[in-house]
Amino acid sequence: MEITTFNPMILSRNADEIIKLFEEMGFERRHQKNNIDGKDISSVRMTDPNGFHVDVARVESMKQDMTTMRMNVRDFDEAYQFLTSRGFKNPSGDHTVESSTSKSCLLISPSGFSIQLTQHIRNEDK
């Protein structure tokens, strides 16, 4: 399994406040994706001058903030199988969020920590 990036991700209905806090710490917005899965969900990728990354997603349905780890991989299906074979569960059943540029889902470990598994679909993958 090839991991291409690995960083924290915060899911919150108060994403604007969290983004502002990280901007005050020197992080800059690098990329934003809106209307994820056809829902009112947006995600902002932020980077600081040292190359550290944090993603902040606005998810209105969140009752409280959740910090997860975003793990980008080269092959989503391979990584999904790897994690689920070790007891990780997709809280949405088998639902994945797919667009023309990515495929992702949240997976929760047997002990309770979570990974936001993501594959960016590159032109050569199409």
Side-chain angles (χ1 to χ4, degrees), residues 50-110:
N50 297 308
F52 293 112
H53 301 282
V54 65
D55 293 357
V56 181
R58 184 181 43 76
V59 183
E60 290 296 324
S61 63
M62 298 296 296
K63 291 182 172 64
Q64 66 182 46
D65 293 355
M66 175 184 199
T67 302
T68 186
M69 294 170 280
R70 176 175 163 176
M71 183 170 80
N72 286 9
V73 295
R74 190 75 178 108
D75 184 327
F76 180 91
D77 295 329
E78 174 190 26
Y80 188 90
Q81 172 60 35
F82 176 87
L83 293 169
T84 57
S85 72
R86 285 155 177 82
F88 282 76
K89 302 281 185 208
N90 181 337
S92 299
D94 286 328
H95 178 72
T96 57
V97 177
E98 297 186 47
S99 72
S100 61
T101 59
S102 66
K103 182 176 182 178
S104 68
C105 75
L106 183 70
L107 293 170
I108 301 176
S109 76

CSV table of all heavy atoms in Angstrom, one decimal, residues 50-110:
chain,number,residue,atom,x,y,z
A,50,ASN,N,6.5,25.4,7.1
A,50,ASN,CA,7.4,24.2,7.3
A,50,ASN,C,6.9,23.0,6.5
A,50,ASN,O,7.5,21.9,6.5
A,50,ASN,CB,7.4,23.9,8.8
A,50,ASN,CG,8.0,25.0,9.6
A,50,ASN,OD1,9.1,25.4,9.3
A,50,ASN,ND2,7.3,25.4,10.6
A,51,GLY,N,5.8,23.1,5.8
A,51,GLY,CA,5.2,22.0,5.0
A,51,GLY,C,4.3,21.1,5.7
A,51,GLY,O,3.9,20.1,5.2
A,52,PHE,N,3.9,21.5,6.9
A,52,PHE,CA,2.9,20.8,7.7
A,52,PHE,C,1.5,21.0,7.1
A,52,PHE,O,1.2,22.1,6.6
A,52,PHE,CB,2.9,21.1,9.1
A,52,PHE,CG,4.1,20.7,9.9
A,52,PHE,CD1,5.0,21.7,10.3
A,52,PHE,CD2,4.4,19.4,10.1
A,52,PHE,CE1,6.2,21.3,11.0
A,52,PHE,CE2,5.6,19.0,10.7
A,52,PHE,CZ,6.5,20.0,11.2
A,53,HIS,N,0.6,20.0,7.1
A,53,HIS,CA,-0.7,20.1,6.5
A,53,HIS,C,-1.7,19.9,7.6
A,53,HIS,O,-1.5,19.0,8.5
A,53,HIS,CB,-0.9,19.1,5.4
A,53,HIS,CG,0.0,19.3,4.3
A,53,HIS,ND1,-0.1,20.3,3.3
A,53,HIS,CD2,1.1,18.6,3.9
A,53,HIS,CE1,0.9,20.1,2.4
A,53,HIS,NE2,1.7,19.1,2.8
A,54,VAL,N,-2.9,20.5,7.5
A,54,VAL,CA,-4.1,20.2,8.2
A,54,VAL,C,-5.3,20.4,7.3
A,54,VAL,O,-5.2,21.4,6.5
A,54,VAL,CB,-4.2,21.0,9.6
A,54,VAL,CG1,-4.4,22.5,9.3
A,54,VAL,CG2,-5.3,20.5,10.4
A,55,ASP,N,-6.2,19.6,7.4
A,55,ASP,CA,-7.4,19.7,6.6
A,55,ASP,C,-8.6,20.0,7.6
A,55,ASP,O,-8.6,19.5,8.7
A,55,ASP,CB,-7.8,18.5,5.8
A,55,ASP,CG,-6.8,18.2,4.7
A,55,ASP,OD1,-5.9,18.9,4.5
A,55,ASP,OD2,-6.9,17.1,4.1
A,56,VAL,N,-9.5,20.9,7.2
A,56,VAL,CA,-10.6,21.3,8.0
A,56,VAL,C,-11.8,21.2,7.1
A,56,VAL,O,-11.9,21.8,6.1
A,56,VAL,CB,-10.5,22.7,8.6
A,56,VAL,CG1,-11.7,23.1,9.4
A,56,VAL,CG2,-9.2,22.9,9.3
A,57,ALA,N,-12.8,20.3,7.6
A,57,ALA,CA,-14.0,20.1,6.8
A,57,ALA,C,-15.2,20.6,7.6
A,57,ALA,O,-15.3,20.4,8.8
A,57,ALA,CB,-14.2,18.6,6.5
A,58,ARG,N,-16.0,21.4,6.9
A,58,ARG,CA,-17.3,21.9,7.5
A,58,ARG,C,-18.3,20.8,7.2
A,58,ARG,O,-18.7,20.5,6.0
A,58,ARG,CB,-17.7,23.2,6.9
A,58,ARG,CG,-19.0,23.8,7.6
A,58,ARG,CD,-19.4,25.1,7.0
A,58,ARG,NE,-19.4,25.2,5.5
A,58,ARG,CZ,-20.3,24.6,4.7
A,58,ARG,NH1,-21.2,23.9,5.2
A,58,ARG,NH2,-20.1,24.7,3.4
A,59,VAL,N,-18.8,20.2,8.3
A,59,VAL,CA,-19.9,19.2,8.2
A,59,VAL,C,-21.0,19.6,9.1
A,59,VAL,O,-20.8,19.5,10.3
A,59,VAL,CB,-19.3,17.8,8.6
A,59,VAL,CG1,-20.4,16.7,8.4
A,59,VAL,CG2,-18.0,17.5,7.8
A,60,GLU,N,-22.1,20.1,8.6
A,60,GLU,CA,-23.1,20.7,9.4
A,60,GLU,C,-23.8,19.6,10.3
A,60,GLU,O,-24.3,19.9,11.4
A,60,GLU,CB,-24.2,21.3,8.5
A,60,GLU,CG,-23.8,22.6,7.9
A,60,GLU,CD,-23.5,23.7,8.8
A,60,GLU,OE1,-24.2,23.8,9.9
A,60,GLU,OE2,-22.5,24.4,8.6
A,61,SER,N,-23.7,18.4,9.9
A,61,SER,CA,-24.3,17.3,10.8
A,61,SER,C,-23.5,16.9,12.0
A,61,SER,O,-24.0,16.2,12.8
A,61,SER,CB,-24.6,16.1,9.9
A,61,SER,OG,-23.4,15.5,9.4
A,62,MET,N,-22.3,17.4,12.1
A,62,MET,CA,-21.5,17.1,13.3
A,62,MET,C,-22.0,17.7,14.5
A,62,MET,O,-22.3,18.9,14.6
A,62,MET,CB,-20.0,17.5,13.1
A,62,MET,CG,-19.3,16.9,11.9
A,62,MET,SD,-19.0,15.2,12.0
A,62,MET,CE,-18.0,15.0,13.4
A,63,LYS,N,-22.3,16.8,15.6
A,63,LYS,CA,-22.8,17.4,16.8
A,63,LYS,C,-21.6,18.0,17.6
A,63,LYS,O,-21.8,18.9,18.4
A,63,LYS,CB,-23.4,16.2,17.6
A,63,LYS,CG,-24.7,15.8,17.0
A,63,LYS,CD,-25.4,14.7,17.8
A,63,LYS,CE,-26.8,14.4,17.4
A,63,LYS,NZ,-27.1,13.9,16.2
A,64,GLN,N,-20.4,17.4,17.5
A,64,GLN,CA,-19.2,17.9,18.1
A,64,GLN,C,-18.1,17.7,17.2
A,64,GLN,O,-18.1,16.8,16.3
A,64,GLN,CB,-18.9,17.2,19.5
A,64,GLN,CG,-18.6,15.8,19.4
A,64,GLN,CD,-18.4,15.2,20.8
A,64,GLN,OE1,-19.2,15.4,21.7
A,64,GLN,NE2,-17.4,14.4,20.9
A,65,ASP,N,-17.0,18.4,17.3
A,65,ASP,CA,-15.8,18.3,16.5
A,65,ASP,C,-15.2,16.9,16.6
A,65,ASP,O,-15.3,16.3,17.6
A,65,ASP,CB,-14.8,19.3,16.9
A,65,ASP,CG,-15.2,20.7,16.6
A,65,ASP,OD1,-16.3,21.0,16.0
A,65,ASP,OD2,-14.4,21.7,17.0
A,66,MET,N,-14.6,16.5,15.5
A,66,MET,CA,-14.0,15.2,15.4
A,66,MET,C,-12.6,15.4,14.7
A,66,MET,O,-12.5,16.0,13.7
A,66,MET,CB,-14.8,14.2,14.6
A,66,MET,CG,-14.1,12.9,14.4
A,66,MET,SD,-15.2,11.8,13.4
A,66,MET,CE,-14.5,10.2,13.8
A,67,THR,N,-11.6,14.9,15.4
A,67,THR,CA,-10.3,15.0,14.7
A,67,THR,C,-10.0,13.6,14.2
A,67,THR,O,-10.1,12.6,15.0
A,67,THR,CB,-9.2,15.4,15.7
A,67,THR,OG1,-9.5,16.7,16.2
A,67,THR,CG2,-7.8,15.5,15.1
A,68,THR,N,-9.6,13.5,13.0
A,68,THR,CA,-9.3,12.2,12.4
A,68,THR,C,-7.9,12.4,11.7
A,68,THR,O,-7.3,13.5,11.7
A,68,THR,CB,-10.4,11.8,11.4
A,68,THR,OG1,-10.1,10.5,10.9
A,68,THR,CG2,-10.5,12.8,10.2
A,69,MET,N,-7.4,11.3,11.0
A,69,MET,CA,-6.2,11.4,10.2
A,69,MET,C,-6.6,11.2,8.8
A,69,MET,O,-7.3,10.2,8.5
A,69,MET,CB,-5.2,10.3,10.7
A,69,MET,CG,-4.7,10.5,12.1
A,69,MET,SD,-3.8,9.1,12.7
A,69,MET,CE,-5.1,8.1,13.2
A,70,ARG,N,-6.1,12.1,7.9
A,70,ARG,CA,-6.4,11.9,6.5
A,70,ARG,C,-5.2,11.1,6.0
A,70,ARG,O,-4.0,11.5,6.1
A,70,ARG,CB,-6.5,13.3,5.8
A,70,ARG,CG,-6.6,13.2,4.3
A,70,ARG,CD,-6.8,14.5,3.7
A,70,ARG,NE,-6.5,14.4,2.3
A,70,ARG,CZ,-6.7,15.4,1.5
A,70,ARG,NH1,-7.1,16.6,1.9
A,70,ARG,NH2,-6.4,15.3,0.2
A,71,MET,N,-5.5,10.1,5.3
A,71,MET,CA,-4.5,9.2,4.7
A,71,MET,C,-4.8,9.1,3.2
A,71,MET,O,-5.8,8.5,2.8
A,71,MET,CB,-4.5,7.8,5.3
A,71,MET,CG,-3.4,6.9,4.8
A,71,MET,SD,-3.1,5.4,5.7
A,71,MET,CE,-4.5,4.4,5.1
A,72,ASN,N,-4.0,9.8,2.4
A,72,ASN,CA,-4.1,9.7,1.0
A,72,ASN,C,-3.3,8.5,0.5
A,72,ASN,O,-2.2,8.3,0.9
A,72,ASN,CB,-3.6,10.9,0.3
A,72,ASN,CG,-4.5,12.1,0.4
A,72,ASN,OD1,-5.5,12.1,1.1
A,72,ASN,ND2,-4.2,13.2,-0.3
A,73,VAL,N,-3.9,7.7,-0.4
A,73,VAL,CA,-3.2,6.5,-0.9
A,73,VAL,C,-3.3,6.5,-2.4
A,73,VAL,O,-4.1,7.2,-3.0
A,73,VAL,CB,-3.9,5.2,-0.3
A,73,VAL,CG1,-3.7,5.2,1.2
A,73,VAL,CG2,-5.4,5.1,-0.7
A,74,ARG,N,-2.4,5.7,-3.0
A,74,ARG,CA,-2.4,5.6,-4.4
A,74,ARG,C,-3.5,4.7,-4.9
A,74,ARG,O,-4.1,4.9,-6.0
A,74,ARG,CB,-1.0,5.0,-4.8
A,74,ARG,CG,-0.8,5.0,-6.3
A,74,ARG,CD,-0.4,6.4,-6.7
A,74,ARG,NE,-0.1,6.4,-8.1
A,74,ARG,CZ,-0.9,6.8,-9.1
A,74,ARG,NH1,-2.0,7.4,-8.8
A,74,ARG,NH2,-0.6,6.7,-10.3
A,75,ASP,N,-3.9,3.6,-4.1
A,75,ASP,CA,-4.9,2.7,-4.5
A,75,ASP,C,-6.0,2.5,-3.4
A,75,ASP,O,-5.7,1.9,-2.4
A,75,ASP,CB,-4.3,1.3,-4.8
A,75,ASP,CG,-5.2,0.3,-5.3
A,75,ASP,OD1,-6.4,0.3,-4.9
A,75,ASP,OD2,-4.8,-0.6,-6.1
A,76,PHE,N,-7.1,3.2,-3.6
A,76,PHE,CA,-8.1,3.2,-2.5
A,76,PHE,C,-8.6,1.8,-2.2
A,76,PHE,O,-8.7,1.5,-1.0
A,76,PHE,CB,-9.3,4.0,-3.0
A,76,PHE,CG,-10.5,4.1,-2.0
A,76,PHE,CD1,-10.5,5.1,-1.1
A,76,PHE,CD2,-11.5,3.2,-2.0
A,76,PHE,CE1,-11.5,5.2,-0.1
A,76,PHE,CE2,-12.5,3.2,-1.1
A,76,PHE,CZ,-12.5,4.2,-0.2
A,77,ASP,N,-8.9,1.0,-3.2
A,77,ASP,CA,-9.5,-0.3,-2.9
A,77,ASP,C,-8.5,-1.2,-2.1
A,77,ASP,O,-8.9,-1.9,-1.2
A,77,ASP,CB,-9.9,-1.0,-4.2
A,77,ASP,CG,-11.0,-0.3,-4.9
A,77,ASP,OD1,-11.8,0.3,-4.2
A,77,ASP,OD2,-11.1,-0.3,-6.2
A,78,GLU,N,-7.2,-1.1,-2.4
A,78,GLU,CA,-6.2,-1.9,-1.7
A,78,GLU,C,-6.1,-1.4,-0.2
A,78,GLU,O,-6.1,-2.3,0.7
A,78,GLU,CB,-4.8,-1.7,-2.4
A,78,GLU,CG,-3.7,-2.3,-1.6
A,78,GLU,CD,-2.3,-1.9,-2.2
A,78,GLU,OE1,-2.2,-0.9,-2.8
A,78,GLU,OE2,-1.4,-2.8,-2.0
A,79,ALA,N,-6.1,-0.1,0.0
A,79,ALA,CA,-6.0,0.4,1.4
A,79,ALA,C,-7.3,0.1,2.1
A,79,ALA,O,-7.3,-0.2,3.3
A,79,ALA,CB,-5.8,1.9,1.3
A,80,TYR,N,-8.5,0.2,1.5
A,80,TYR,CA,-9.8,-0.1,2.1
A,80,TYR,C,-9.8,-1.5,2.6
A,80,TYR,O,-10.1,-1.8,3.7
A,80,TYR,CB,-10.9,0.2,1.1
A,80,TYR,CG,-12.3,0.1,1.7
A,80,TYR,CD1,-12.9,1.2,2.3
A,80,TYR,CD2,-13.0,-1.1,1.7
A,80,TYR,CE1,-14.2,1.2,2.8
A,80,TYR,CE2,-14.3,-1.2,2.2
A,80,TYR,CZ,-14.9,0.0,2.8
A,80,TYR,OH,-16.1,-0.1,3.3
A,81,GLN,N,-9.3,-2.4,1.7
A,81,GLN,CA,-9.3,-3.9,2.1
A,81,GLN,C,-8.3,-4.1,3.2
A,81,GLN,O,-8.6,-4.9,4.2
A,81,GLN,CB,-8.9,-4.7,0.9
A,81,GLN,CG,-8.6,-6.2,1.1
A,81,GLN,CD,-9.8,-6.9,1.7
A,81,GLN,OE1,-11.0,-6.6,1.4
A,81,GLN,NE2,-9.6,-7.8,2.6
A,82,PHE,N,-7.2,-3.5,3.2
A,82,PHE,CA,-6.1,-3.6,4.2
A,82,PHE,C,-6.7,-3.2,5.6
A,82,PHE,O,-6.6,-3.9,6.6
A,82,PHE,CB,-4.9,-2.7,3.9
A,82,PHE,CG,-3.9,-2.7,4.9
A,82,PHE,CD1,-2.9,-3.7,4.9
A,82,PHE,CD2,-3.8,-1.7,5.9
A,82,PHE,CE1,-1.9,-3.7,5.9
A,82,PHE,CE2,-2.9,-1.7,6.9
A,82,PHE,CZ,-1.9,-2.7,6.9
A,83,LEU,N,-7.4,-2.0,5.6
A,83,LEU,CA,-7.9,-1.5,6.9
A,83,LEU,C,-9.1,-2.3,7.4
A,83,LEU,O,-9.2,-2.7,8.5
A,83,LEU,CB,-8.2,0.0,6.8
A,83,LEU,CG,-7.0,0.9,6.6
A,83,LEU,CD1,-7.4,2.3,6.2
A,83,LEU,CD2,-6.1,0.9,7.8
A,84,THR,N,-10.1,-2.6,6.5
A,84,THR,CA,-11.2,-3.4,6.9
A,84,THR,C,-10.9,-4.8,7.3
A,84,THR,O,-11.5,-5.3,8.2
A,84,THR,CB,-12.3,-3.4,5.8
A,84,THR,OG1,-11.8,-3.9,4.6
A,84,THR,CG2,-12.9,-2.0,5.6
A,85,SER,N,-9.9,-5.4,6.8
A,85,SER,CA,-9.4,-6.7,7.2
A,85,SER,C,-8.8,-6.7,8.6
A,85,SER,O,-8.7,-7.7,9.2
A,85,SER,CB,-8.4,-7.3,6.2
A,85,SER,OG,-7.2,-6.7,6.3
A,86,ARG,N,-8.5,-5.5,9.1
A,86,ARG,CA,-8.0,-5.4,10.4
A,86,ARG,C,-9.0,-4.8,11.4
A,86,ARG,O,-8.7,-4.3,12.4
A,86,ARG,CB,-6.7,-4.5,10.4
A,86,ARG,CG,-5.6,-5.3,9.8
A,86,ARG,CD,-4.5,-4.5,9.2
A,86,ARG,NE,-3.4,-5.3,8.7
A,86,ARG,CZ,-3.4,-5.9,7.5
A,86,ARG,NH1,-4.4,-5.9,6.7
A,86,ARG,NH2,-2.3,-6.6,7.2
A,87,GLY,N,-10.3,-4.8,11.0
A,87,GLY,CA,-11.4,-4.5,11.9
A,87,GLY,C,-11.9,-3.1,11.7
A,87,GLY,O,-12.9,-2.7,12.4
A,88,PHE,N,-11.4,-2.3,10.8
A,88,PHE,CA,-11.9,-0.9,10.6
A,88,PHE,C,-13.3,-1.0,10.0
A,88,PHE,O,-13.5,-1.9,9.2
A,88,PHE,CB,-11.0,-0.1,9.7
A,88,PHE,CG,-9.8,0.5,10.4
A,88,PHE,CD1,-8.7,-0.3,10.7
A,88,PHE,CD2,-9.7,1.8,10.7
A,88,PHE,CE1,-7.6,0.2,11.3
A,88,PHE,CE2,-8.6,2.3,11.3
A,88,PHE,CZ,-7.5,1.5,11.6
A,89,LYS,N,-14.2,-0.1,10.4
A,89,LYS,CA,-15.6,-0.1,9.9
A,89,LYS,C,-15.9,1.2,9.3
A,89,LYS,O,-15.5,2.3,9.8
A,89,LYS,CB,-16.6,-0.4,11.0
A,89,LYS,CG,-16.4,-1.7,11.8
A,89,LYS,CD,-16.9,-2.8,11.0
A,89,LYS,CE,-16.8,-4.1,11.9
A,89,LYS,NZ,-16.7,-5.3,11.1
A,90,ASN,N,-16.6,1.2,8.2
A,90,ASN,CA,-17.2,2.4,7.5
A,90,ASN,C,-18.5,2.7,8.2
A,90,ASN,O,-19.4,1.9,8.0
A,90,ASN,CB,-17.3,2.1,6.0
A,90,ASN,CG,-17.8,3.3,5.3
A,90,ASN,OD1,-18.5,4.2,5.8
A,90,ASN,ND2,-17.6,3.3,4.0
A,91,PRO,N,-18.6,3.8,8.9
A,91,PRO,CA,-19.9,4.0,9.6
A,91,PRO,C,-21.1,4.3,8.7
A,91,PRO,O,-22.2,4.2,9.1
A,91,PRO,CB,-19.6,5.3,10.5
A,91,PRO,CG,-18.4,5.9,9.8
A,91,PRO,CD,-17.7,4.8,9.2
A,92,SER,N,-20.8,4.5,7.4
A,92,SER,CA,-21.8,4.6,6.4
A,92,SER,C,-22.1,3.4,5.6
A,92,SER,O,-22.6,3.4,4.5
A,92,SER,CB,-21.4,5.8,5.4
A,92,SER,OG,-21.3,7.0,6.1
A,93,GLY,N,-21.8,2.2,6.2
A,93,GLY,CA,-21.9,1.0,5.5
A,93,GLY,C,-20.8,0.9,4.5
A,93,GLY,O,-19.6,1.0,4.8
A,94,ASP,N,-21.1,0.6,3.2
A,94,ASP,CA,-20.1,0.5,2.2
A,94,ASP,C,-20.0,1.8,1.3
A,94,ASP,O,-19.4,1.9,0.3
A,94,ASP,CB,-20.3,-0.7,1.2
A,94,ASP,CG,-20.0,-2.0,1.9
A,94,ASP,OD1,-19.0,-2.0,2.7
A,94,ASP,OD2,-20.6,-3.0,1.6
A,95,HIS,N,-20.7,2.9,1.8
A,95,HIS,CA,-20.8,4.1,1.0
A,95,HIS,C,-19.4,4.8,1.0
A,95,HIS,O,-18.7,5.0,2.0
A,95,HIS,CB,-21.8,5.1,1.6
A,95,HIS,CG,-21.9,6.4,0.9
A,95,HIS,ND1,-22.4,6.5,-0.3
A,95,HIS,CD2,-21.4,7.6,1.3
A,95,HIS,CE1,-22.4,7.8,-0.7
A,95,HIS,NE2,-21.7,8.5,0.2
A,96,THR,N,-19.0,5.2,-0.2
A,96,THR,CA,-17.8,6.0,-0.4
A,96,THR,C,-18.2,7.3,-1.1
A,96,THR,O,-19.2,7.3,-1.8
A,96,THR,CB,-16.7,5.3,-1.2
A,96,THR,OG1,-17.3,4.9,-2.5
A,96,THR,CG2,-16.2,4.1,-0.5
A,97,VAL,N,-17.5,8.3,-0.9
A,97,VAL,CA,-17.7,9.6,-1.6
A,97,VAL,C,-16.8,9.6,-2.8
A,97,VAL,O,-15.6,9.6,-2.7
A,97,VAL,CB,-17.4,10.8,-0.6
A,97,VAL,CG1,-17.6,12.1,-1.4
A,97,VAL,CG2,-18.2,10.7,0.6
A,98,GLU,N,-17.5,9.7,-4.0
A,98,GLU,CA,-16.7,9.6,-5.2
A,98,GLU,C,-17.0,10.9,-6.1
A,98,GLU,O,-18.1,11.3,-6.2
A,98,GLU,CB,-17.0,8.4,-6.0
A,98,GLU,CG,-16.6,7.1,-5.2
A,98,GLU,CD,-16.8,5.8,-6.0
A,98,GLU,OE1,-16.4,5.8,-7.2
A,98,GLU,OE2,-17.3,4.9,-5.4
A,99,SER,N,-16.0,11.4,-6.7
A,99,SER,CA,-16.1,12.5,-7.6
A,99,SER,C,-15.1,12.2,-8.8
A,99,SER,O,-14.5,11.2,-8.8
A,99,SER,CB,-15.8,13.8,-7.0
A,99,SER,OG,-14.4,13.9,-6.7
A,100,SER,N,-15.1,13.1,-9.7
A,100,SER,CA,-14.2,12.9,-10.8
A,100,SER,C,-12.7,13.0,-10.4
A,100,SER,O,-11.8,12.5,-11.1
A,100,SER,CB,-14.4,13.9,-11.9
A,100,SER,OG,-14.2,15.2,-11.5
A,101,THR,N,-12.4,13.6,-9.2
A,101,THR,CA,-11.0,13.7,-8.8
A,101,THR,C,-10.6,13.0,-7.6
A,101,THR,O,-9.5,13.0,-7.2
A,101,THR,CB,-10.7,15.2,-8.6
A,101,THR,OG1,-11.7,15.7,-7.5
A,101,THR,CG2,-10.9,16.1,-9.8
A,102,SER,N,-11.6,12.3,-6.9
A,102,SER,CA,-11.2,11.6,-5.6
A,102,SER,C,-12.3,10.6,-5.2
A,102,SER,O,-13.4,10.6,-5.7
A,102,SER,CB,-11.0,12.6,-4.5
A,102,SER,OG,-12.2,13.2,-4.1
A,103,LYS,N,-11.8,9.7,-4.3
A,103,LYS,CA,-12.7,8.7,-3.7
A,103,LYS,C,-12.3,8.6,-2.3
A,103,LYS,O,-11.1,8.6,-2.0
A,103,LYS,CB,-12.4,7.3,-4.4
A,103,LYS,CG,-13.3,6.2,-3.9
A,103,LYS,CD,-13.1,5.0,-4.7
A,103,LYS,CE,-13.9,3.8,-4.3
A,103,LYS,NZ,-13.8,2.6,-5.1
A,104,SER,N,-13.2,8.7,-1.3
A,104,SER,CA,-12.9,8.7,0.1
A,104,SER,C,-14.0,8.1,0.9
A,104,SER,O,-15.1,8.0,0.5
A,104,SER,CB,-12.6,10.1,0.5
A,104,SER,OG,-13.7,10.9,0.5
A,105,CYS,N,-13.6,7.8,2.2
A,105,CYS,CA,-14.6,7.4,3.2
A,105,CYS,C,-13.9,7.5,4.5
A,105,CYS,O,-12.7,7.5,4.6
A,105,CYS,CB,-15.2,6.0,3.0
A,105,CYS,SG,-14.1,4.7,3.3
A,106,LEU,N,-14.7,7.6,5.6
A,106,LEU,CA,-14.2,7.6,6.9
A,106,LEU,C,-14.2,6.1,7.4
A,106,LEU,O,-15.2,5.4,7.2
A,106,LEU,CB,-15.1,8.4,7.8
A,106,LEU,CG,-14.7,8.5,9.3
A,106,LEU,CD1,-13.4,9.4,9.4
A,106,LEU,CD2,-15.8,9.2,10.1
A,107,LEU,N,-13.2,5.7,8.0
A,107,LEU,CA,-13.1,4.3,8.6
A,107,LEU,C,-12.7,4.5,10.1
A,107,LEU,O,-11.8,5.3,10.4
A,107,LEU,CB,-12.0,3.5,7.9
A,107,LEU,CG,-12.3,3.2,6.4
A,107,LEU,CD1,-11.1,2.6,5.7
A,107,LEU,CD2,-13.5,2.2,6.3
A,108,ILE,N,-13.4,3.7,10.9
A,108,ILE,CA,-13.2,3.7,12.4
A,108,ILE,C,-12.6,2.4,12.8
A,108,ILE,O,-13.1,1.3,12.5
A,108,ILE,CB,-14.5,4.1,13.1
A,108,ILE,CG1,-15.0,5.4,12.6
A,108,ILE,CG2,-14.2,4.1,14.6
A,108,ILE,CD1,-16.3,5.9,13.2
A,109,SER,N,-11.5,2.5,13.6
A,109,SER,CA,-10.8,1.3,14.1
A,109,SER,C,-11.6,0.7,15.2
A,109,SER,O,-12.5,1.3,15.8
A,109,SER,CB,-9.4,1.7,14.6
A,109,SER,OG,-9.5,2.3,15.9
A,110,PRO,N,-11.3,-0.6,15.5
A,110,PRO,CA,-12.0,-1.3,16.6
A,110,PRO,C,-11.8,-0.5,18.0
A,110,PRO,O,-12.7,-0.6,18.8
A,110,PRO,CB,-11.3,-2.6,16.7
A,110,PRO,CG,-10.8,-2.9,15.3
A,110,PRO,CD,-10.4,-1.5,14.8
